[in-house]
Amino acid sequence: MHDYWTSTALLFHRKREELSDDERASLRFYIALIDDMDGLTPNSAPRRWCAAARAVEEFTREHGRLPAPTDPGPLHAWVELQRTAVLNAFQRDRLRAIRGWSDV
């Protein structure tokens, strides 16, 4: 499994003004992931993104594959959207941790 925690968590040890825009965005998504794990309500775009990534990961654990167009629900469309979306480093690493994920 791809380690998407460590590189982002290490950013907490750096001064905020030293972080790039991508690193600051990655930290926001990292915090959103923690919020999601803690069961907080979906009140932000990062939190909703992390919840969707978790739903895709749960789907792949259950079915052994990524969602297909014929599967019910919005997961396949969400996966396809991520392939063309502008993502920060945390988001890219998070997706790479999902079984069957490919950047292409």
Side-chain angles (χ1 to χ4, degrees):
M1 183 165 107
H2 187 81
D3 176 11
Y4 61 92
W5 297 82
T6 306
S7 60
T8 304
L10 290 173
L11 297 176
F12 282 110
H13 298 284
R14 293 180 40 205
K15 294 179 181 178
R16 181 170 173 75
E17 58 270 10
E18 295 175 356
L19 300 176
S20 69
D21 290 344
D22 182 77
E23 290 169 332
R24 280 192 294 281
S26 291
L27 276 177
R28 282 193 307 275
F29 277 83
Y30 184 86
I31 292 166
L33 172 71
I34 301 303
D35 288 351
D36 178 53
M37 290 171 50
D38 288 343
L40 299 178
T41 58
N43 57 3
S44 69
R47 166 59 175 82
R48 290 188 299 273
W49 188 93
C50 288
R54 185 182 67 187
V56 170
E57 186 167 50
E58 289 171 357
F59 181 94
T60 63
R61 284 184 185 145
E62 182 178 336
H63 299 282
R65 61 175 173 77
L66 288 169
T70 55
D71 292 318
L75 294 181
H76 174 74
W78 186 87
V79 167
E80 291 305 308
L81 180 62
Q82 301 317 297
R83 295 190 190 287
T84 58
V86 176
L87 303 174
N88 62 53
F90 174 83
Q91 290 172 296
R92 291 187 301 271
D93 285 347
R94 175 66 181 98
L95 293 175
R96 289 176 186 134
I98 296 173
R99 175 188 301 170
W101 184 266
S102 169
D103 289 336
V104 272

XYZ file of all heavy atoms in Angstrom:
853
model
N 0.842 -1.179 0.000
C 0.000 0.000 0.000
C 0.885 1.239 0.000
O 1.889 1.288 0.692
C -0.920 -0.005 1.223
C -1.861 1.165 1.246
S -3.207 0.966 2.418
C -2.695 2.121 3.662
N 0.509 2.209 -0.761
C 1.269 3.461 -0.852
C 1.099 4.268 0.432
O -0.013 4.458 0.918
C 0.776 4.265 -2.057
C 1.598 5.479 -2.335
N 2.792 5.414 -3.019
C 1.423 6.766 -1.999
C 3.297 6.628 -3.102
N 2.480 7.474 -2.484
N 2.193 4.744 0.999
C 2.168 5.537 2.237
C 1.865 6.993 1.905
O 2.721 7.724 1.441
C 3.516 5.422 2.951
C 3.603 6.288 4.189
O 2.572 6.833 4.636
O 4.713 6.426 4.731
N 0.627 7.396 2.134
C 0.244 8.782 1.878
C 0.181 9.600 3.160
O -0.109 10.780 3.130
C -1.092 8.849 1.130
C -2.256 8.231 1.871
C -3.063 8.994 2.698
C -2.539 6.877 1.741
C -4.126 8.421 3.366
C -3.587 6.305 2.409
C -4.379 7.077 3.220
O -5.430 6.521 3.892
N 0.423 8.992 4.290
C 0.355 9.681 5.582
C 1.646 10.420 5.914
O 1.634 11.586 6.286
C 0.119 8.666 6.708
C -1.163 7.930 6.646
C -1.447 6.836 5.888
C -2.342 8.228 7.374
N -2.730 6.435 6.116
C -3.292 7.276 7.026
C -2.674 9.216 8.295
C -4.565 7.272 7.566
C -3.944 9.207 8.842
C -4.864 8.246 8.468
N 2.750 9.715 5.838
C 4.005 10.199 6.391
C 4.472 11.509 5.770
O 4.767 12.462 6.487
C 5.100 9.120 6.252
O 4.614 7.904 6.841
C 6.365 9.554 6.938
N 4.526 11.564 4.447
C 5.065 12.762 3.803
C 4.232 13.994 4.144
O 4.774 15.085 4.354
C 5.156 12.577 2.294
O 3.880 12.313 1.754
N 2.920 13.833 4.223
C 2.074 14.969 4.569
C 2.172 15.296 6.050
O 2.256 16.465 6.427
C 0.610 14.702 4.179
O 0.567 14.383 2.789
C -0.261 15.914 4.434
N 2.185 14.286 6.889
C 2.274 14.523 8.338
C 3.554 15.271 8.692
O 3.561 16.111 9.603
C 2.195 13.211 9.094
N 4.620 15.023 7.966
C 5.880 15.708 8.237
C 5.778 17.213 7.998
O 6.541 17.987 8.574
C 7.003 15.114 7.378
C 7.433 13.691 7.765
C 8.418 13.138 6.748
C 8.012 13.658 9.168
N 4.824 17.625 7.190
C 4.644 19.054 6.926
C 4.223 19.816 8.180
O 4.471 21.013 8.295
C 3.616 19.274 5.817
C 3.969 18.705 4.447
C 2.812 18.913 3.477
C 5.243 19.325 3.915
N 3.613 19.131 9.135
C 3.220 19.783 10.384
C 4.436 20.299 11.155
O 4.304 21.179 11.999
C 2.436 18.813 11.280
C 1.012 18.647 10.860
C 0.569 17.462 10.314
C 0.112 19.683 11.003
C -0.753 17.307 9.928
C -1.214 19.543 10.636
C -1.642 18.353 10.084
N 5.612 19.779 10.871
C 6.832 20.179 11.581
C 7.522 21.377 10.934
O 8.545 21.833 11.431
C 7.808 19.003 11.659
C 7.244 17.848 12.426
N 7.146 17.837 13.789
C 6.724 16.677 12.001
C 6.601 16.712 14.186
N 6.332 15.988 13.120
N 6.964 21.866 9.846
C 7.555 23.018 9.163
C 6.718 24.258 9.408
O 5.526 24.172 9.664
C 7.653 22.729 7.666
C 8.666 21.612 7.397
C 8.830 21.258 5.953
N 8.827 22.382 5.057
C 8.472 22.288 3.776
N 8.116 21.143 3.271
N 8.495 23.348 3.003
N 7.348 25.406 9.308
C 6.626 26.669 9.469
C 5.684 26.858 8.295
O 6.043 26.590 7.146
C 7.605 27.831 9.559
C 8.468 27.798 10.790
C 9.436 28.968 10.811
C 10.306 28.902 12.054
N 11.289 29.995 12.067
N 4.488 27.354 8.582
C 3.472 27.525 7.547
C 3.978 28.377 6.389
O 3.711 28.078 5.220
C 2.208 28.134 8.154
C 1.097 28.311 7.147
C -0.208 28.689 7.822
N -1.236 29.025 6.862
C -1.907 28.157 6.126
N -1.653 26.874 6.230
N -2.837 28.555 5.282
N 4.724 29.439 6.699
C 5.192 30.335 5.637
C 6.242 29.675 4.732
O 6.533 30.180 3.652
C 5.724 31.660 6.211
C 6.859 31.508 7.191
C 6.409 31.350 8.643
O 5.215 31.170 8.909
O 7.288 31.390 9.509
N 6.794 28.553 5.148
C 7.768 27.821 4.327
C 7.094 26.832 3.375
O 7.748 26.280 2.492
C 8.735 27.059 5.219
C 9.620 27.925 6.081
C 10.485 27.128 7.034
O 10.344 25.885 7.093
O 11.298 27.745 7.715
N 5.807 26.623 3.559
C 5.100 25.629 2.759
C 4.659 26.206 1.409
O 4.265 27.365 1.327
C 3.865 25.128 3.512
C 4.108 24.454 4.859
C 2.784 24.111 5.522
C 4.980 23.222 4.714
N 4.706 25.366 0.397
C 4.186 25.759 -0.916
C 2.662 25.712 -0.872
O 2.062 25.164 0.063
C 4.700 24.803 -1.989
O 4.107 23.519 -1.822
N 2.031 26.250 -1.901
C 0.567 26.175 -1.999
C 0.108 24.720 -1.989
O -0.891 24.375 -1.363
C 0.066 26.875 -3.259
C 0.217 28.384 -3.183
O 0.420 28.918 -2.081
O 0.115 29.023 -4.253
N 0.820 23.863 -2.710
C 0.474 22.450 -2.760
C 0.590 21.810 -1.382
O -0.267 21.027 -0.977
C 1.377 21.719 -3.761
C 1.012 20.255 -3.883
O 0.000 19.959 -4.559
O 1.716 19.412 -3.286
N 1.642 22.150 -0.654
C 1.822 21.571 0.687
C 0.733 22.046 1.646
O 0.224 21.260 2.437
C 3.211 21.907 1.219
C 4.310 21.168 0.480
C 5.699 21.675 0.792
O 5.853 22.868 1.141
O 6.645 20.874 0.684
N 0.355 23.312 1.567
C -0.732 23.821 2.417
C -2.047 23.124 2.071
O -2.814 22.730 2.950
C -0.862 25.337 2.283
C 0.158 26.089 3.118
C -0.160 27.579 3.205
N -0.048 28.275 1.930
C 1.105 28.656 1.387
N 2.235 28.450 2.010
N 1.115 29.271 0.222
N -2.301 22.950 0.778
C -3.515 22.240 0.355
C -3.473 20.786 0.822
O -4.479 20.242 1.285
C -3.671 22.309 -1.161
N -2.316 20.156 0.735
C -2.174 18.776 1.193
C -2.490 18.663 2.678
O -3.165 17.723 3.111
C -0.756 18.257 0.914
O -0.551 18.108 -0.468
N -2.027 19.618 3.467
C -2.330 19.601 4.904
C -3.825 19.750 5.157
O -4.373 19.089 6.046
C -1.567 20.710 5.629
C -0.134 20.360 6.030
C 0.541 21.568 6.680
C -0.104 19.172 6.966
N -4.492 20.609 4.387
C -5.941 20.754 4.554
C -6.650 19.434 4.290
O -7.565 19.044 5.015
C -6.493 21.838 3.629
C -6.239 23.246 4.116
C -7.061 24.280 3.369
N -6.931 24.227 1.918
C -5.959 24.824 1.231
N -5.027 25.520 1.848
N -5.922 24.734 -0.082
N -6.212 18.719 3.247
C -6.836 17.438 2.933
C -6.459 16.377 3.972
O -7.274 15.515 4.304
C -6.470 16.986 1.511
C -7.340 17.619 0.491
C -7.077 18.891 0.013
C -8.456 16.966 0.018
C -7.899 19.503 -0.913
C -9.291 17.559 -0.920
C -9.008 18.824 -1.385
N -5.269 16.433 4.504
C -4.855 15.503 5.557
C -5.751 15.695 6.778
O -6.264 14.731 7.357
C -3.391 15.757 5.917
C -2.828 14.794 6.921
C -2.286 13.575 6.525
C -2.821 15.096 8.266
C -1.761 12.703 7.446
C -2.294 14.220 9.201
C -1.763 13.019 8.786
O -1.248 12.144 9.700
N -5.972 16.943 7.155
C -6.843 17.243 8.298
C -8.269 16.780 7.996
O -8.954 16.231 8.867
C -6.776 18.736 8.638
C -5.386 19.071 9.192
C -7.869 19.135 9.630
C -5.074 20.555 9.260
N -8.707 16.973 6.755
C -10.039 16.519 6.374
C -10.151 15.001 6.496
O -11.190 14.476 6.902
C -10.358 16.971 4.955
N -9.078 14.287 6.147
C -9.077 12.836 6.299
C -9.255 12.455 7.756
O -10.055 11.569 8.090
C -7.772 12.243 5.760
C -7.571 10.753 6.039
C -8.520 9.935 5.184
C -6.153 10.352 5.801
N -8.544 13.138 8.626
C -8.680 12.861 10.061
C -10.111 13.153 10.500
O -10.723 12.379 11.242
C -7.670 13.695 10.877
C -6.235 13.392 10.455
C -7.862 13.482 12.367
C -5.803 11.959 10.540
N -10.666 14.277 10.032
C -12.061 14.608 10.347
C -12.995 13.496 9.882
O -13.915 13.100 10.598
C -12.481 15.918 9.678
C -11.850 17.134 10.327
O -11.228 16.999 11.398
O -11.974 18.230 9.741
N -12.759 12.999 8.675
C -13.585 11.931 8.125
C -13.477 10.684 8.995
O -14.474 10.056 9.325
C -13.155 11.630 6.689
C -13.943 10.490 6.075
O -15.186 10.558 6.091
O -13.309 9.550 5.571
N -12.273 10.337 9.398
C -12.064 9.156 10.239
C -12.747 9.325 11.596
O -13.200 8.350 12.196
C -10.569 8.890 10.413
C -9.918 8.398 9.142
S -8.110 8.316 9.199
C -7.804 7.434 10.690
N -12.815 10.564 12.061
C -13.466 10.845 13.338
C -14.984 10.921 13.203
O -15.684 11.137 14.188
C -12.941 12.161 13.929
C -11.522 12.024 14.441
O -11.053 10.890 14.646
O -10.895 13.076 14.656
N -15.499 10.800 11.980
C -16.934 10.787 11.756
C -17.589 12.155 11.777
O -18.798 12.255 12.000
N -16.821 13.215 11.528
C -17.407 14.553 11.500
C -18.308 14.713 10.283
O -18.102 14.072 9.249
C -16.309 15.614 11.488
C -15.375 15.603 12.702
C -14.303 16.669 12.550
C -16.137 15.797 13.991
N -19.285 15.563 10.384
C -20.224 15.755 9.279
C -19.536 16.394 8.075
O -18.578 17.153 8.240
C -21.408 16.642 9.718
O -20.885 17.882 10.163
C -22.211 15.979 10.817
N -20.023 16.098 6.870
C -19.405 16.661 5.667
C -19.690 18.156 5.544
O -20.704 18.564 5.022
C -20.021 15.868 4.524
C -21.267 15.282 5.075
C -21.091 15.167 6.559
N -18.774 18.962 6.014
C -19.003 20.400 6.023
C -17.993 21.173 5.186
O -17.949 22.383 5.258
C -18.990 20.923 7.465
C -17.694 20.581 8.179
O -16.785 20.004 7.586
N -17.593 20.928 9.438
N -17.189 20.470 4.435
C -16.204 21.159 3.606
C -15.884 20.305 2.386
O -16.092 19.091 2.390
C -14.913 21.402 4.397
O -14.258 20.174 4.645
N -15.375 20.950 1.346
C -14.990 20.213 0.134
C -13.902 19.174 0.434
O -14.000 18.034 -0.042
C -14.543 21.185 -0.952
N -12.862 19.500 1.222
C -11.867 18.468 1.527
C -12.462 17.273 2.269
O -12.123 16.128 1.987
C -10.842 19.203 2.394
C -10.955 20.626 1.985
C -12.416 20.823 1.697
N -13.377 17.531 3.185
C -14.001 16.440 3.940
C -14.838 15.557 3.019
O -14.783 14.338 3.083
C -14.829 17.036 5.080
C -15.811 16.104 5.775
C -15.141 14.883 6.390
N -16.111 14.111 7.121
C -16.950 13.232 6.578
N -16.940 13.016 5.286
N -17.805 12.571 7.322
N -15.586 16.176 2.110
C -16.388 15.396 1.163
C -15.486 14.590 0.225
O -15.790 13.447 -0.108
C -17.323 16.317 0.376
C -18.459 16.890 1.227
C -19.481 17.644 0.389
N -18.910 18.789 -0.310
C -18.785 20.008 0.197
N -19.168 20.257 1.421
N -18.273 20.985 -0.527
N -14.361 15.192 -0.201
C -13.435 14.481 -1.086
C -12.884 13.245 -0.377
O -12.844 12.157 -0.947
C -12.295 15.413 -1.517
C -11.429 14.795 -2.564
C -11.562 14.933 -3.912
C -10.320 13.916 -2.365
N -10.586 14.189 -4.563
C -9.822 13.557 -3.619
C -9.701 13.395 -1.228
C -8.736 12.703 -3.785
C -8.616 12.539 -1.390
C -8.141 12.206 -2.657
N -12.467 13.403 0.872
C -11.909 12.276 1.629
C -12.954 11.185 1.853
O -12.634 9.987 1.799
C -11.336 12.761 2.953
S -9.804 13.692 2.745
N -14.192 11.576 2.089
C -15.264 10.593 2.260
C -15.483 9.811 0.969
O -15.685 8.591 0.996
C -16.549 11.291 2.706
N -15.427 10.498 -0.178
C -15.593 9.818 -1.462
C -14.429 8.862 -1.719
O -14.634 7.731 -2.185
C -15.716 10.840 -2.591
N -13.214 9.289 -1.419
C -12.049 8.411 -1.594
C -12.187 7.173 -0.724
O -11.883 6.054 -1.154
C -10.758 9.165 -1.267
N -12.659 7.359 0.496
C -12.851 6.216 1.393
C -13.918 5.282 0.842
O -13.772 4.053 0.891
C -13.228 6.685 2.788
C -13.302 5.515 3.774
C -13.707 5.948 5.145
N -15.094 6.403 5.070
C -15.732 6.977 6.066
N -15.122 7.228 7.189
N -16.989 7.332 5.934
N -15.007 5.831 0.291
C -16.064 4.999 -0.278
C -15.538 4.171 -1.453
O -15.873 2.988 -1.587
C -17.239 5.871 -0.715
N -14.699 4.780 -2.285
C -14.102 4.040 -3.404
C -13.193 2.939 -2.860
O -13.222 1.801 -3.338
C -13.329 4.988 -4.354
C -12.501 4.210 -5.363
C -14.299 5.926 -5.054
N -12.405 3.260 -1.851
C -11.520 2.246 -1.267
C -12.323 1.085 -0.678
O -11.972 -0.080 -0.862
C -10.641 2.879 -0.201
C -9.594 1.927 0.349
C -8.553 2.661 1.150
O -8.942 3.457 2.040
O -7.357 2.452 0.885
N -13.406 1.395 -0.003
C -14.260 0.331 0.554
C -14.867 -0.516 -0.558
O -14.963 -1.741 -0.435
C -15.346 0.944 1.442
C -14.789 1.500 2.739
C -15.803 2.299 3.540
O -16.959 2.483 3.067
O -15.431 2.750 4.636
N -15.271 0.126 -1.653
C -15.808 -0.605 -2.801
C -14.759 -1.577 -3.339
O -15.066 -2.739 -3.612
C -16.246 0.370 -3.904
C -16.826 -0.311 -5.109
C -18.187 -0.485 -5.228
C -15.998 -0.786 -6.123
C -18.729 -1.126 -6.339
C -16.514 -1.434 -7.231
C -17.892 -1.600 -7.341
N -13.524 -1.100 -3.503
C -12.480 -1.966 -4.065
C -12.147 -3.121 -3.119
O -11.820 -4.210 -3.580
C -11.191 -1.187 -4.401
O -10.632 -0.644 -3.220
C -11.466 -0.096 -5.413
N -12.235 -2.879 -1.826
C -11.996 -3.980 -0.877
C -13.074 -5.053 -1.006
O -12.794 -6.243 -0.927
C -11.967 -3.447 0.550
C -10.704 -2.737 0.892
C -10.685 -2.320 2.344
N -9.499 -1.542 2.621
C -9.459 -0.529 3.464
N -10.528 -0.189 4.153
N -8.344 0.128 3.652
N -14.310 -4.607 -1.200
C -15.424 -5.549 -1.295
C -15.458 -6.280 -2.628
O -15.740 -7.477 -2.698
C -16.747 -4.809 -1.090
C -17.958 -5.719 -1.126
C -19.254 -4.989 -0.869
O -19.228 -3.916 -0.228
O -20.306 -5.478 -1.320
N -15.159 -5.571 -3.726
C -15.317 -6.140 -5.071
C -14.003 -6.514 -5.748
O -14.022 -7.140 -6.809
C -16.072 -5.149 -5.969
C -17.447 -4.844 -5.465
N -18.516 -5.685 -5.628
C -17.921 -3.778 -4.762
C -19.596 -5.166 -5.068
N -19.255 -3.998 -4.527
N -12.870 -6.082 -5.187
C -11.582 -6.417 -5.776
C -11.262 -5.639 -7.037
O -10.365 -6.007 -7.795
N -12.000 -4.571 -7.273
C -11.792 -3.744 -8.465
C -12.357 -2.354 -8.215
O -13.128 -2.144 -7.281
C -12.485 -4.361 -9.680
C -13.988 -4.465 -9.480
C -14.711 -4.958 -10.724
N -16.114 -5.197 -10.459
C -17.059 -4.250 -10.362
N -16.742 -2.979 -10.516
N -18.316 -4.564 -10.117
N -11.983 -1.427 -9.087
C -12.553 -0.090 -9.026
C -13.996 -0.116 -9.540
O -14.370 -1.016 -10.304
C -11.729 0.873 -9.886
C -10.352 1.249 -9.337
C -9.543 1.989 -10.394
C -10.489 2.098 -8.080
N -14.815 0.857 -9.161
C -16.187 0.914 -9.668
C -16.229 1.032 -11.193
O -15.385 1.703 -11.794
C -16.754 2.185 -9.021
C -15.869 2.468 -7.860
C -14.513 1.944 -8.219
N -17.201 0.384 -11.777
C -17.393 0.395 -13.228
C -18.629 1.233 -13.575
O -19.469 1.486 -12.704
C -17.574 -1.036 -13.739
N -18.753 1.638 -14.845
C -19.922 2.442 -15.249
C -21.253 1.738 -14.968
O -22.270 2.388 -14.777
C -19.730 2.652 -16.747
C -18.294 2.387 -17.013
C -17.827 1.426 -15.952
N -21.255 0.414 -14.949
C -22.497 -0.335 -14.731
C -22.854 -0.501 -13.250
O -23.946 -0.967 -12.938
C -22.383 -1.730 -15.376
O -21.214 -2.382 -14.850
C -22.268 -1.621 -16.890
N -21.957 -0.128 -12.361
C -22.246 -0.228 -10.926
C -23.197 0.891 -10.510
O -23.093 2.012 -11.006
C -20.955 -0.140 -10.098
C -20.057 -1.340 -10.278
O -20.589 -2.472 -10.316
O -18.833 -1.155 -10.373
N -24.111 0.600 -9.593
C -25.011 1.664 -9.125
C -24.252 2.708 -8.307
O -23.212 2.415 -7.711
C -26.025 0.912 -8.256
C -25.333 -0.344 -7.851
C -24.346 -0.675 -8.940
N -24.781 3.914 -8.296
C -24.183 4.976 -7.489
C -23.180 5.815 -8.261
O -22.860 5.547 -9.419
N -22.662 6.835 -7.595
C -21.812 7.831 -8.254
C -20.312 7.534 -8.225
O -19.523 8.344 -8.690
C -22.098 9.097 -7.447
C -22.315 8.574 -6.061
C -23.035 7.265 -6.245
N -19.894 6.391 -7.692
C -18.459 6.177 -7.486
C -17.652 6.156 -8.770
O -16.555 6.712 -8.830
C -18.212 4.907 -6.669
C -18.705 4.953 -5.228
C -18.373 3.637 -4.519
C -18.122 6.134 -4.480
N -18.170 5.504 -9.811
C -17.410 5.453 -11.067
C -17.199 6.858 -11.630
O -16.091 7.205 -12.045
C -18.098 4.571 -12.108
C -17.418 4.610 -13.435
N -16.220 3.967 -13.666
C -17.722 5.262 -14.587
C -15.834 4.209 -14.908
N -16.722 4.987 -15.484
N -18.250 7.665 -11.613
C -18.128 9.038 -12.121
C -17.118 9.827 -11.295
O -16.328 10.602 -11.853
C -19.496 9.725 -12.106
N -17.107 9.622 -9.991
C -16.156 10.326 -9.124
C -14.721 9.918 -9.469
O -13.837 10.763 -9.591
C -16.453 10.049 -7.653
C -15.604 10.859 -6.729
C -15.862 12.121 -6.276
C -14.358 10.471 -6.139
N -14.846 12.546 -5.445
C -13.906 11.541 -5.343
C -13.571 9.320 -6.206
C -12.718 11.510 -4.629
C -12.388 9.286 -5.487
C -11.974 10.374 -4.712
N -14.501 8.621 -9.666
C -13.170 8.125 -10.034
C -12.728 8.758 -11.346
O -11.596 9.250 -11.463
C -13.155 6.582 -10.129
C -11.894 6.080 -10.817
C -13.288 5.969 -8.743
N -13.593 8.773 -12.332
C -13.238 9.348 -13.628
C -12.940 10.842 -13.512
O -12.018 11.342 -14.154
C -14.353 9.092 -14.649
C -14.480 7.625 -15.038
C -13.167 7.040 -15.555
O -12.562 7.634 -16.471
O -12.738 5.989 -15.043
N -13.679 11.546 -12.698
C -13.437 12.969 -12.491
C -12.050 13.205 -11.882
O -11.348 14.144 -12.257
C -14.522 13.555 -11.581
C -14.402 15.043 -11.278
C -14.519 15.864 -12.555
C -15.481 15.447 -10.282
N -11.630 12.332 -10.969
C -10.320 12.504 -10.327
C -9.177 12.349 -11.315
O -8.111 12.938 -11.147
C -10.138 11.508 -9.172
C -11.185 11.616 -8.087
C -11.511 13.037 -7.713
O -10.659 13.771 -7.236
N -12.764 13.438 -7.926
N -9.390 11.576 -12.356
C -8.322 11.347 -13.349
C -7.971 12.618 -14.122
O -6.866 12.732 -14.635
C -8.725 10.230 -14.294
C -8.860 8.894 -13.585
C -9.012 7.766 -14.569
N -9.366 6.524 -13.953
C -8.549 5.767 -13.229
N -7.320 6.140 -13.019
N -8.968 4.627 -12.709
N -8.896 13.558 -14.214
C -8.626 14.796 -14.947
C -8.590 16.027 -14.033
O -8.295 17.119 -14.496
C -9.692 15.020 -16.041
O -10.981 15.067 -15.429
C -9.646 13.907 -17.079
N -8.887 15.849 -12.766
C -8.918 16.974 -11.823
C -7.502 17.426 -11.468
O -6.545 16.641 -11.542
C -9.656 16.573 -10.552
N -7.380 18.673 -11.083
C -6.121 19.185 -10.550
C -6.105 18.815 -9.068
O -6.929 19.293 -8.296
C -6.006 20.714 -10.733
C -4.742 21.231 -10.086
C -6.071 21.074 -12.202
N -5.190 17.928 -8.713
C -5.127 17.411 -7.349
C -3.832 17.835 -6.679
O -2.804 17.982 -7.343
C -5.209 15.881 -7.364
C -6.439 15.272 -8.047
C -6.310 13.765 -8.116
C -7.711 15.684 -7.334
N -3.868 17.972 -5.366
C -2.630 18.254 -4.641
C -1.908 16.936 -4.333
O -2.427 15.846 -4.622
C -2.905 19.082 -3.375
C -3.792 18.356 -2.387
O -3.523 17.228 -1.997
N -4.868 19.016 -1.972
N -0.724 17.036 -3.777
C 0.106 15.855 -3.535
C -0.591 14.847 -2.621
O -0.522 13.637 -2.859
C 1.456 16.271 -2.943
N -1.250 15.332 -1.585
C -1.953 14.410 -0.685
C -3.029 13.644 -1.446
O -3.146 12.422 -1.310
C -2.587 15.154 0.495
C -3.426 14.249 1.352
C -2.834 13.470 2.334
C -4.788 14.144 1.152
C -3.595 12.607 3.107
C -5.561 13.289 1.919
C -4.958 12.521 2.899
N -3.828 14.351 -2.236
C -4.890 13.688 -2.986
C -4.320 12.633 -3.927
O -4.846 11.519 -4.011
C -5.699 14.705 -3.781
C -6.545 15.611 -2.925
C -7.170 16.704 -3.751
O -6.473 17.538 -4.321
N -8.489 16.708 -3.834
N -3.253 12.982 -4.638
C -2.644 12.014 -5.562
C -2.144 10.790 -4.796
O -2.390 9.644 -5.207
C -1.504 12.663 -6.344
C -1.983 13.711 -7.354
C -0.848 14.209 -8.238
N 0.246 14.818 -7.500
C 0.314 16.105 -7.170
N -0.673 16.936 -7.498
N 1.366 16.582 -6.523
N -1.465 11.013 -3.679
C -0.956 9.895 -2.883
C -2.097 9.067 -2.297
O -2.025 7.846 -2.228
C -0.045 10.395 -1.766
C 1.318 10.821 -2.267
O 1.667 10.515 -3.437
O 2.048 11.465 -1.492
N -3.160 9.735 -1.872
C -4.315 9.025 -1.297
C -4.928 8.105 -2.341
O -5.252 6.945 -2.051
C -5.361 10.040 -0.799
C -6.646 9.405 -0.288
C -6.378 8.602 0.969
N -7.575 7.969 1.457
C -7.914 6.702 1.229
N -7.138 5.914 0.503
N -9.023 6.207 1.749
N -5.095 8.591 -3.561
C -5.675 7.764 -4.612
C -4.761 6.592 -4.960
O -5.236 5.484 -5.210
C -5.979 8.607 -5.850
C -7.093 9.642 -5.667
C -7.218 10.507 -6.914
C -8.418 8.980 -5.324
N -3.458 6.824 -4.956
C -2.513 5.738 -5.269
C -2.558 4.623 -4.230
O -2.109 3.510 -4.504
C -1.096 6.302 -5.369
C -0.885 7.142 -6.607
C 0.493 7.759 -6.643
N 0.604 8.663 -7.771
C 1.131 9.872 -7.692
N 1.650 10.322 -6.560
N 1.183 10.642 -8.756
N -3.092 4.914 -3.048
C -3.204 3.901 -1.993
C -4.416 2.993 -2.199
O -4.556 1.989 -1.504
C -3.272 4.581 -0.628
N -5.283 3.333 -3.136
C -6.478 2.526 -3.395
C -6.136 1.393 -4.353
O -5.528 1.615 -5.409
C -7.606 3.416 -3.983
C -8.033 4.463 -2.938
C -8.785 2.558 -4.428
C -9.013 5.484 -3.466
N -6.533 0.200 -3.988
C -6.248 -0.979 -4.814
C -6.762 -0.786 -6.236
O -7.903 -0.395 -6.454
C -6.931 -2.200 -4.214
C -6.779 -3.454 -5.073
C -7.607 -4.574 -4.575
N -7.214 -4.888 -3.207
C -7.888 -5.705 -2.406
N -8.984 -6.266 -2.812
N -7.459 -5.939 -1.198
N -5.885 -1.007 -7.199
C -6.279 -0.924 -8.595
C -6.175 0.469 -9.200
O -6.408 0.640 -10.391
N -5.837 1.468 -8.372
C -5.753 2.837 -8.901
C -4.586 2.948 -9.863
O -3.515 2.407 -9.646
C -5.593 3.856 -7.790
C -5.610 5.258 -8.351
C -4.546 6.002 -8.698
C -6.764 6.009 -8.676
N -4.949 7.202 -9.217
C -6.326 7.226 -9.217
C -8.136 5.778 -8.568
C -7.214 8.215 -9.647
C -8.995 6.761 -8.997
C -8.533 7.960 -9.521
N -4.793 3.664 -10.943
C -3.744 3.964 -11.904
C -3.858 5.435 -12.259
O -4.960 5.948 -12.407
C -3.920 3.090 -13.148
O -3.067 3.541 -14.174
N -2.713 6.105 -12.398
C -2.722 7.521 -12.761
C -3.072 7.745 -14.223
O -3.262 8.873 -14.639
C -1.370 8.162 -12.451
C -1.135 8.298 -10.965
O -2.122 8.342 -10.186
O 0.039 8.356 -10.560
N -3.160 6.684 -14.984
C -3.507 6.818 -16.406
C -4.909 6.343 -16.670
O -5.505 5.647 -15.954
C -2.536 6.042 -17.329
C -1.358 6.877 -17.703
C -2.137 4.741 -16.743
